[in-house]
Amino acid sequence: MQKARIFLAIVTLCVICSIANAQGTDPCPSISVNGPSRIVPVGDIATYSVKVGEGSRIGDLAFEWATSDGIINRGQGTHEIDVIQPNAGITATVTVFGLTEGCPN
């Protein structure tokens, strides 16, 4: 009986979240990071950008980028950076500041 109650509580919570998302009342926007759509030659510029979904304006947010390799050439603190492509694979990550408290950033 306990398992059934827990399952029902989870299903109810998921339905409530789905309704909130459909009605646009979820305070947490989606976040996506986009990078080059091609292989970038060593030494060329690779551009990465972050898109924050509905409910947040880019101008109200701050961004902190990090890369696993390469040099951020332009854009630290903005929604888009240019990185000088290193002689290796690269991972670019961004932390978004200014979202509603409790939202993943």
Side-chain angles (χ1 to χ4, degrees):
M1 189 65 165
Q2 184 67 19
K3 288 181 181 180
R5 285 184 191 160
I6 293 171
F7 177 75
L8 180 58
I10 292 170
V11 169
T12 302
L13 181 59
C14 290
V15 169
I16 291 169
C17 290
S18 297
I19 291 169
N21 285 336
Q23 293 176 346
T25 58
D26 184 0
C28 298
S30 62
I31 300 173
S32 61
V33 177
N34 299 305
S37 60
R38 61 178 176 78
I39 295 175
V40 178
V42 173
D44 281 4
I45 299 294
T47 300
Y48 298 86
S49 63
V50 62
K51 181 177 181 187
V52 181
E54 299 296 320
S56 295
R57 296 180 329 157
I58 292 290
D60 295 337
L61 304 173
F63 306 92
E64 184 178 305
W65 289 91
T67 59
S68 59
D69 202 353
I71 298 169
I72 297 176
N73 189 49
R74 179 192 67 80
Q76 181 61 277
T78 70
H79 74 283
E80 183 176 273
I81 59 168
D82 287 342
V83 177
I84 299 172
Q85 181 66 30
N87 191 17
I90 185 172
T91 300
T93 57
V94 63
T95 302
V96 180
F97 297 95
L99 298 173
T100 302
E101 188 173 331
C103 290
N105 63 342

